[in-house]
Amino acid sequence: MTEPQDTRQEIWLGALCGRQIAEHAFRGLPYEACGVLRGKAAAGGMRIDNFVPMRNVAPDPLHHFILHPEEWTKQCLRGEGLIGLFHSHPRSQPTPSDEDLRQLSLFAGLIRIYLIGSPGESKDAIRLNGYYVVKGADGLYSLEPALIKHG
């Protein structure tokens, strides 16, 4: 009997970018960390080529993230390659929170993928979940789970 195929779209994450994301998330503890993902479309999905850490300027960074406006604007104006965002959930699972979904419409038209990370079992490991930003027929955005491939 064959096993069912995973039909989720793929996000390719290089080892260096994966380490940079994990380091930024752990440096930010106990607060949420955030950053920009740069890359391009690849066969079967998206490929992250660069991670750009950003400052979280949320009034309550223990439970929320807000990208530093000047840093975010600079990345938006930099041209091609802006494909997504990363942020961490230091005390919960790396799945979209209600607040994440409420904020999605603020930047969803500019990105295609969204990564959420949480501390893993060891002190330097991160659990990372990936999502594709999808715009529905109603004009509202949602997040669809993606498959993160390392390498």
Side-chain angles (χ1 to χ4, degrees), residues 9 13 22 32-33 57 65 78 92 94 124:
Q9 286 188 293
L13 177 65
E32 290 194 13
V57 296
F65 82 97
R78 204 172 132 201
S92 63
D124 59 350

Side-chain angles (χ1 to χ4, degrees), residues 21-103:
I21 288 169
E23 289 170 4
H24 184 60
F26 282 107
R27 268 195 311 270
L29 291 174
Y31 305 114
E32 290 194 13
C34 54
V36 167
L37 307 168
R38 300 192 72 83
K40 58 186 149 220
M46 298 295 288
R47 186 180 80 225
I48 300 168
D49 294 324
N50 294 296
F51 171 67
V52 181
M54 299 192 121
R55 290 180 280 170
N56 179 356
V57 296
D60 180 11
L62 283 170
H63 303 102
H64 305 284
F65 82 97
I66 296 175
L67 300 165
H68 186 280
E70 290 174 18
E71 293 173 6
W72 170 240
T73 301
K74 181 180 175 183
Q75 290 300 316
C76 290
L77 295 174
R78 204 172 132 201
E80 301 236 353
L82 175 64
I83 60 168
L85 295 180
F86 160 80
H87 85 282
S88 64
H89 285 179
R91 290 161 303 289
S92 63
Q93 296 296 316
T95 56
S97 67
D98 290 342
E99 183 66 18
D100 293 337
L101 296 174
R102 273 193 296 279
Q103 287 188 357

Side-chain angles (χ1 to χ4, degrees), residues 5 7 32 34 51 53-54 82 89 99 103 112-113 115 117 119 126 128 134 137 139-140 147-151:
Q5 294 288 325
T7 58
E32 290 194 13
C34 54
F51 171 67
M54 299 192 121
L82 175 64
H89 285 179
E99 183 66 18
Q103 287 188 357
R112 307 230 349 239
I113 59 175
L115 299 183
I126 189 168
L128 199 59
V134 177
L140 299 176
L147 182 62
I148 296 179
K149 298 272 198 157
H150 298 275

Side-chain angles (χ1 to χ4, degrees), residues 3 6 9 11-12 17 29 33 63 69 94 98 109-110 115-116 119 126 129-130 133:
E3 293 191 27
D6 193 331
Q9 286 188 293
I11 297 172
W12 292 89
C17 287
L29 291 174
H63 303 102
D98 290 342
L110 300 170
L115 299 183
I116 303 174
I126 189 168
N129 283 342
V133 177

